[in-house]
Amino acid sequence: MRNEEYAGYYCLVMAIVCGLNAAEAWKIYQYGPDHPLSKKILKHKIRDSSLKKLKKKEQEKMMKKLFLEGYSKNAIAEAFECLPETVTARIKRAEEDMNGT
């Protein structure tokens, strides 16, 4: 029981320090930081606090750009502190603006 308690503490620290959610922290704890899955999780984190300061139209364009670069809607949502559904709607709006509709 004690080891499970420590594992929870380690995951909490990793989540806070690395900006991970609970599932990501647990996977990195289980597999270790050098595992390919762990590296993929850390690589796909968007760490740019200036994103939230962008105006709505600029956010839409940036969300579309990040999505086209291969970031998941969940990763983009975390970076902008919104729901994945919001990301979907804003990407769609950005595409409509580009197409002139």
Side-chain angles (χ1 to χ4, degrees):
M1 179 72 168
R2 198 74 165 147
N3 287 339
E4 291 173 4
E5 186 177 336
Y6 285 129
Y9 291 139
Y10 290 135
C11 288
L12 178 61
V13 170
M14 285 190 308
I16 292 169
V17 172
C18 300
L20 306 170
N21 64 37
E24 293 168 335
W26 180 248
K27 286 177 185 170
I28 291 173
Y29 176 79
Q30 281 184 307
Y31 297 119
D34 293 329
H35 190 275
L37 177 62
S38 300
K39 289 181 179 182
K40 182 178 178 182
I41 289 170
L42 292 171
K43 178 183 174 198
H44 286 283
K45 285 293 186 183
I46 304 168
R47 294 180 174 88
D48 188 350
S49 61
S50 67
L51 292 176
K52 293 174 271 185
K53 298 175 186 174
L54 296 173
K55 294 183 180 176
K56 190 173 180 179
K57 288 290 181 190
E58 294 170 335
Q59 283 185 0
E60 291 172 0
K61 290 177 186 176
M62 183 57 73
M63 286 179 179
K64 182 175 178 1
K65 179 179 182 254
L66 291 169
F67 185 68
L68 292 174
E69 288 178 5
Y71 288 99
S72 70
K73 290 181 181 175
N74 287 334
I76 297 168
E78 277 185 40
F80 284 91
E81 295 181 357
C82 65
L83 296 171
E85 292 82 9
T86 302
V87 173
T88 301
R90 289 188 178 173
I91 289 172
K92 183 178 178 186
R93 224 171 307 158
E95 289 171 348
E96 289 171 355
D97 287 346
M98 287 180 67
N99 295 330
T101 57

